[in-house]
Amino acid sequence: MHETRLRRIREKMDELGLDALLVTKEVNSLYLCGFGEDSRLLVTGSDAVLITDSRYTEEAEAKVRGATVHTFKSDMLEELAVLLGERGVKTLGFEARSVTVAALGEMEKKLSGTALKPTDGLVEELRIVKDAAEVERMREAIAVADAALADALPYLTPGVTEADMAAELRYRLFKRGASEVSFPPIIGFGPTSSLPHAKPGSRRLGENDNVQFDWGAVVNHYCSDCSRVFFVGEPDEEILRIHEIVSEADRRAREGVRPGVSLKEIDALARSFIEREGYGQYFGHGLGHGVGLEVHEAPRVSPKSADTAREGMVFTIEAGIYLPGKGGVRVEDMVLVTADGCEVLTRFPYDTTPNKAFKE
């Protein structure tokens, strides 16, 4: 697996005339060789070297595939210069989006005998299409997230605070086997739900509130991402209505997913329906984003997206309507692009009654 990924990145290096590529983004190193924490991966035409320090040597040697492990003693860049010289590297590509101006200045001083060439998205482009093992890891993350929310929902009763629910959900995620949360859980009660990235606070659940959950788990480095809405008592009629609109918009978008369709068109399927229903001005974000080693990665599903759906892509579909001061609704699923359409990976029930959903 990792050998195949390294071969593909070498093909891209050849196209750009690079003798080597320095991978500095941790998840890209993880993708290519199986380890990335606080390390750098040097890929040349003939070998790959993970450069790390003594804190990670033992772990890296156990996990790295397709590369050797080099533990630097004092100055990483000085030792990198030696490695480059030994391999006759004249042109070194670097990941422009993960190298700061200050770090680039240091590289220019200490790697003065090597031409430095910025690159953008070389590894990310490979990561856009998932293989079967990656999809299986995301299924595992989804299962953990689903079970955790089901465990937490019995605590969703009038009087509980958003912060209490967030703490309960985080606890249940770890209890069910998550190594980390994909992102801090987004939980909004009533008016707070109009904030797309609501931070759980001291607001208590009312007798007739709507509740917005957006949560995810990380399992074996891969993320999940899902949003669901629940109603307590008899919520506002307009909130119920926009839930129906958002759900239908998502359904229309899912039905339009298939290889060869532009992601801009998929966004438009949901957005145009919401606009016809009179709520276009309240749907301000893109319809979705890729999910994998990062919870937000390429591709983007938005009006400005230049991407086209390809078999093996995994991205979210998450239309939303947010009414300031009143409340909002977002329903989100992860989908896998298949040969003739898409598979919805997220499985949590759409039932909006908490005591029914957690019994599914």
Side-chain angles (χ1 to χ4, degrees):
M1 176 175 67
H2 293 100
E3 289 79 3
T4 298
R5 293 172 181 176
L6 287 165
R7 175 182 56 77
R8 292 176 65 201
I9 202 63
R10 289 186 177 109
E11 291 171 355
K12 289 183 172 290
M13 289 161 51
D14 287 343
E15 293 172 4
L16 295 175
L18 301 177
D19 297 324
L21 175 68
L22 183 64
V23 179
T24 49
K25 187 173 181 178
E26 290 188 359
V27 291
N28 286 345
S29 177
L30 174 65
Y31 178 80
L32 290 173
C33 76
F35 189 82
E37 187 172 357
D38 210 6
S39 304
R40 305 291 183 267
L41 178 66
L42 175 66
V43 183
T44 72
S46 58
D47 71 349
V49 182
L50 183 86
I51 306 168
T52 192
D53 65 57
S54 60
R55 295 172 298 167
Y56 302 104
T57 301
E58 182 179 1
E59 184 180 4
E61 289 179 342
K63 293 180 177 180
V64 165
R65 299 291 182 270
T68 58
V69 177
H70 174 88
T71 303
F72 71 86
K73 302 299 189 295
S74 57
D75 190 296
M76 189 275 290
L77 285 177
E78 290 179 359
E79 294 187 35
L80 173 60
V82 173
L83 293 172
L84 295 175
E86 291 173 347
R87 289 158 176 78
V89 173
K90 302 299 182 184
T91 304
L92 175 67
F94 65 92
E95 297 184 299
R97 291 181 185 267
S98 63
V99 174
T100 66
V101 172
L104 179 58
E106 287 294 306
M107 291 171 63
E108 289 172 338
K109 284 192 292 186
K110 295 183 178 181
L111 306 178
S112 57
T114 305
L116 301 177
K117 186 174 180 178
T119 67
D120 187 19
L122 295 188
V123 183
E124 286 86 349
E125 173 61 27
L126 299 184
R127 288 169 46 200
I128 283 180
V129 174
K130 272 59 178 180
D131 60 32
E134 291 181 285
V135 173
E136 183 56 34
R137 288 186 176 187
M138 281 186 277
R139 292 187 197 277
E140 293 170 0
I142 289 165
V144 165
D146 285 357
L149 183 60
D151 291 344
L153 277 180
Y155 296 87
L156 186 65
T157 56
V160 69
T161 68
E162 295 165 340
D164 285 341
M165 281 305 305
E168 185 66 31
L169 180 53
R170 289 179 70 104
Y171 166 72
R172 297 293 176 174
L173 284 163
F174 288 115
K175 187 77 171 177
R176 283 288 185 169
S179 59
E180 189 50 84
V181 293
S182 298
F183 51 90
I186 297 168
I187 301 175
F189 297 165
T192 310
S193 62
S194 70
L195 305 174
H197 282 181
K199 295 178 176 62
S202 59
R203 181 178 175 81
R204 295 185 181 278
L205 183 64
E207 296 286 348
N208 298 299
D209 273 345
N210 60 296
V211 179
Q212 178 72 59
F213 277 96
D214 191 343
W215 82 109
V218 179
V219 175
N220 288 322
H221 303 295
Y222 281 81
C223 301
S224 72
D225 191 2
C226 185
S227 295
R228 290 292 185 266
V229 174
F230 299 100
F231 297 126
V232 177
E234 299 181 4
D236 182 271
E237 287 295 325
E238 187 173 22
I239 297 296
L240 293 170
R241 173 61 180 149
I242 64 173
H243 182 265
E244 294 176 356
I245 294 170
V246 164
S247 299
E248 175 62 15
D250 281 346
R251 185 193 67 78
R252 290 175 180 230
R254 289 194 301 268
E255 288 191 350
V257 176
R258 63 184 181 280
V261 176
S262 75
L263 301 190
K264 182 188 299 187
E265 291 179 44
I266 294 171
D267 179 279
L269 289 171
R271 194 171 302 278
S272 62
F273 176 73
I274 291 174
E275 289 171 349
R276 288 197 300 273
E277 293 297 316
Y279 288 95
Q281 64 179 314
Y282 301 109
F283 177 26
H285 57 72
L287 183 66
H289 55 84
V291 183
L293 289 170
E294 297 176 282
V295 74
H296 292 98
E297 61 180 43
R300 301 295 177 183
V301 187
S302 76
K304 296 182 179 180
S305 178
D307 292 310
T308 299
R310 286 181 269 167
E311 186 175 357
M313 280 183 170
V314 175
F315 51 79
T316 64
I317 290 179
E318 48 180 302
I321 296 174
Y322 312 94
L323 306 179
K326 189 168 191 177
V329 166
R330 179 172 63 258
V331 179
E332 174 185 17
D333 285 296
M334 291 168 57
V335 301
L336 168 67
V337 182
T338 62
D340 57 0
C342 75
E343 175 190 350
V344 179
L345 296 177
T346 34
R347 315 301 292 178
F348 201 88
Y350 294 110
D351 198 305
T352 57
T353 306
N355 66 342
K356 291 183 179 179
F358 72 75
K359 291 179 181 177
E360 289 289 337

